[in-house]
Amino acid sequence: DGGITQSPKYLFRKEGQNVTLSCEQNLNHDAMYWYRQDPGQGLRLIYYSQIVNDFQKGDIAEGYSVSREKKESFPLTVTSAQKNPTAFYLCASSRGGSGPPRPQHFGDGTRLSIL
Amino acid sequence: KQEVTQIPAALSVPEGENLVLNCSFTDSAIYNLQWFRQDPGKGLTSLLLIQSSQREQTSGRLNASLDKSSGRSTLYIAASQPGDSATYLCAASPPPQGGSEKLVFGKGTKLTVNP
C-alpha cells in the first residue's frame, strides 16, 4: 500500500546535538512538507519542497534544515540552534502540479523530546 | 496573514447525536478548505476537501460546507458514534505556488462521543 513512513516514532535529543527525522513516501508525489505540532495547537509549517533539489522555508524554519535529493525522501534535521525542539513532527506529501486540488497525505509522526 | 479559528475547542456528546463543528478563516482568498481527523499520537487523515468554487462536500455521515463570503466552514457529523471520537482540524489553502499548498491550520476541536 502507498503511504508515508516516518521514523523513528520517538526520538530523544541531548543538548547541543543535531538529530535527523526521516520521511519517505511511495505515493509518487512531487510536493512534501514538514509540520510541527505543539500540545493544543494546530500544525505549523517548517519547510516544504515542490520538486527534487528545491525547498522553501515555511513559517518557523529557524533551527531546522532539510534536503530533497530524491523524490521519495525529505529528511528534517533539528539543529542545536532550535532551542525548543520538543514537539510532534509530521511529514506530509501531495501530488502537486496543475489540476484540481488534492488532499495532503500525512505520516504517523515523530515525537521529539529533550533529554 | 490567514488565520484559522475553530470553535469549540472541545465537545462532548452522547452517541447518536448530530453535531456541527465550526471553522472560520480571515482571508476569503482561499484555494480550498480541508477537514482532517487526528487520533491521539497519530498523523492526520483527510476527511473532506472543498474547492473554492464549491459549497459543500459529502462523505458518508460527514458533510462539510463552505461560505467564502462569511469566512466560515462547518463539518456536520450525523448520528455520531464512539468511533468518531478524535480531534478534527480544518485547514485553509491559499492559491498554490508552484504546485505546493501551504495549509494554514486551526487548533482543532476535540470531540468525545459517549456510548
Side-chain angles (χ1 to χ4, degrees):
Chain A
D1 290 340
I4 298 178
T5 302
Q6 289 189 241
S7 62
K9 188 173 179 65
Y10 300 96
L11 187 58
F12 298 91
R13 195 192 88 170
K14 297 179 180 179
E15 292 289 339
Q17 184 182 44
N18 294 350
V19 293
T20 297
L21 285 61
S22 172
C23 177
E24 303 278 334
Q25 55 100 357
N26 60 6
L27 299 167
N28 199 33
H29 284 170
D30 287 315
M32 297 188 73
Y33 313 81
W34 273 106
Y35 295 92
R36 169 180 172 141
Q37 186 176 34
D38 294 282
Q41 302 294 316
L43 279 65
R44 292 183 290 168
L45 183 65
I46 305 173
Y47 269 97
Y48 63 102
S49 169
Q50 299 168 5
I51 56 173
V52 174
N53 293 322
D54 179 75
F55 48 84
Q56 307 292 330
K57 292 182 179 180
D59 299 321
I60 55 167
E62 185 175 351
Y64 300 97
S65 65
V66 294
S67 63
R68 186 85 187 276
E69 298 177 359
K70 298 187 300 182
K71 186 175 184 177
E72 304 79 26
S73 178
F74 191 39
L76 173 74
T77 296
V78 183
T79 74
S80 57
Q82 173 51 244
K83 298 307 180 186
N84 184 23
T86 297
F88 190 48
Y89 291 86
L90 287 161
C91 178
S93 70
S94 65
R95 188 187 64 178
S98 60
R102 297 290 179 88
Q104 291 185 12
H105 295 251
F106 283 78
D108 277 342
T110 292
R111 189 167 300 279
L112 176 62
S113 302
I114 293 293
L115 282 178
Chain B
K1 180 181 176 183
Q2 179 74 272
E3 293 183 2
V4 177
T5 303
Q6 292 186 247
I7 295 173
L11 181 64
S12 182
V13 301
E15 182 177 2
E17 189 164 299
N18 301 327
L19 58 100
V20 174
L21 306 181
N22 297 296
C23 173
S24 62
F25 46 94
T26 56
D27 187 348
S28 62
I30 63 171
Y31 183 56
N32 63 69
L33 191 291
Q34 300 183 35
W35 283 92
F36 295 89
R37 168 185 172 136
Q38 185 176 30
D39 292 292
K42 296 290 188 180
L44 278 63
T45 300
S46 177
L47 297 174
L48 291 165
L49 182 154
I50 312 175
Q51 297 183 46
S52 61
S53 58
Q54 298 173 327
R55 295 299 298 265
E56 65 177 348
Q57 281 286 329
T58 298
S59 176
R61 294 183 293 108
L62 305 179
N63 175 276
S65 67
L66 175 64
D67 184 344
K68 285 178 54 179
S69 62
S70 66
R72 295 184 178 183
S73 176
T74 60
L75 179 66
Y76 175 82
I77 302 177
S80 58
Q81 303 171 358
D84 295 330
S85 298
T87 296
Y88 292 81
L89 296 119
C90 72
S93 172
Q97 300 172 346
S100 61
E101 294 183 33
K102 297 173 62 177
L103 295 178
V104 178
F105 284 84
K107 294 181 179 181
T109 294
K110 183 176 182 180
L111 173 66
T112 302
V113 181
N114 300 302

